[in-house]
Amino acid sequence: MEKAMVERVCMLAGKIMLVSGAETYRVEDTMNRIANSFGAPNAQSYATPTAINFAIDADSEAKMLRIRKRSTADLSKIAEVNSISRKIAAGEIDLGRAFLLLQEVEKGKLYPAWLQILASAIVSGCFAIMFGGRWEDFLPAVIAGGIVFAGMISFERFVDIRFLAEFLGAFLIGISSLLFIHYGFGTSLDLVIIGAVMPLVPGLLITNAIRDLMAGHLVAGVSKGVEASLTAVAIGAGIAAIFTFM
């Protein structure tokens, strides 16, 4: 019973971190540290972007958990799991308490959609200025960035294909930016588009891919690199589609 509970705690911690966008080497390290703290120094963990495999020791039957959807909308969950892991290692909380705390983290809601849209809008405007745009380009980029994120969130509720949502987002950026500049709302089409595109750029995926590769996790690193490349293709194709038919 004790071993089964340790497995549940470790896999729940790994699941929360992987779903929230953590690097796979960090997921495995956290699971192993938790298991070691509860008397299982030979725990075997293996994580990929789409699955977690874990066994309490080399002779035990491995458990697998399928990860179907990942997000980077709330990285604070990774920090919360790390905090719980440190408390476990320090002996401050027992097995049952750790499981309850992890369940609370898992059930925690993401940032509301309106806040994500607002953040995307403000960031878009700031990037437009940072890349050399005038203040006349700030508001068009803000509006375009907000429209894009709202469109992506709405689209993903009906079609669970990230590539299509990102393509649609880039397409909306192109349309809205062209309309703004055409009617004299803004001065630089390029900078309005660049500012609005930046929230879609897969910076975290690229960073995680490189860090996983450097840590020796070749499967995870390559797969995340491919995922980042597909996102870049979706963004480029969405913008290119506008300029092709304009």
Side-chain angles (χ1 to χ4, degrees):
M1 182 62 182
E2 183 78 9
K3 287 186 176 182
M5 191 62 180
V6 172
E7 288 179 341
R8 292 179 67 185
V9 168
C10 292
M11 294 192 73
L12 180 56
K15 174 188 175 184
I16 295 170
M17 295 185 72
L18 199 57
V19 167
S20 300
E23 309 94 314
T24 52
Y25 80 86
R26 188 188 300 274
V27 172
E28 292 181 3
D29 182 64
T30 300
M31 293 169 68
N32 289 338
R33 286 177 182 273
I34 292 174
N36 183 61
S37 299
F38 288 128
N42 297 315
Q44 306 295 310
S45 62
Y46 177 69
T48 70
T50 56
I52 293 174
N53 293 277
F54 182 80
I56 200 69
D57 55 54
D59 298 324
S60 298
E61 181 181 350
K63 303 292 191 301
M64 191 194 84
L65 183 63
R66 184 77 165 85
I67 306 297
R68 300 189 179 277
K69 192 171 183 179
R70 301 180 307 281
S71 172
T72 56
D74 194 351
L75 298 178
S76 64
K77 288 189 176 183
I78 300 174
E80 291 178 24
V81 173
N82 282 332
S83 177
I84 294 172
S85 175
R86 294 188 187 98
K87 290 179 181 178
I88 292 172
E92 297 177 9
I93 54 178
D94 59 15
L95 191 59
R97 178 61 178 166
F99 187 65
L100 292 176
L101 289 174
L102 288 170
Q103 283 184 316
E104 291 178 5
V105 174
E106 183 183 30
K107 293 176 182 177
K109 294 183 179 180
L110 296 174
Y111 295 111
W114 68 267
L115 185 57
Q116 296 181 46
I117 294 169
L118 178 62
S120 175
I122 295 174
V123 166
S124 297
C126 293
F127 270 118
I129 298 298
M130 188 182 78
F131 285 115
R134 300 179 179 178
W135 284 107
E136 291 88 341
D137 301 318
F138 178 81
L139 195 55
V142 166
I143 297 173
I147 291 173
V148 168
F149 220 81
M152 287 182 58
I153 291 175
S154 300
F155 185 79
E156 284 187 316
R157 291 177 180 175
F158 300 100
V159 181
D160 192 17
I161 302 176
R162 184 72 180 178
F163 179 89
L164 293 180
E166 289 160 347
F167 175 84
L168 175 65
F171 190 81
L172 289 174
I173 288 173
I175 290 178
S176 57
S177 299
L178 277 173
L179 290 175
F180 290 152
I181 300 301
H182 178 74
Y183 289 104
F185 188 40
T187 60
S188 174
L189 176 62
D190 292 345
L191 291 173
V192 172
I193 290 176
I194 290 171
V197 159
M198 288 307 293
L200 305 183
V201 173
L204 184 64
L205 271 178
I206 295 171
T207 302
N208 284 355
I210 294 173
R211 293 184 70 176
D212 278 332
L213 286 171
M214 292 177 66
H217 293 249
L218 302 182
V219 173
V222 171
S223 62
K224 288 181 179 179
V226 171
E227 187 177 355
S229 299
L230 286 174
T231 297
V233 169
I235 295 171
I239 297 295
I242 295 298
F243 286 95
T244 300
F245 300 106
M246 66 179 291

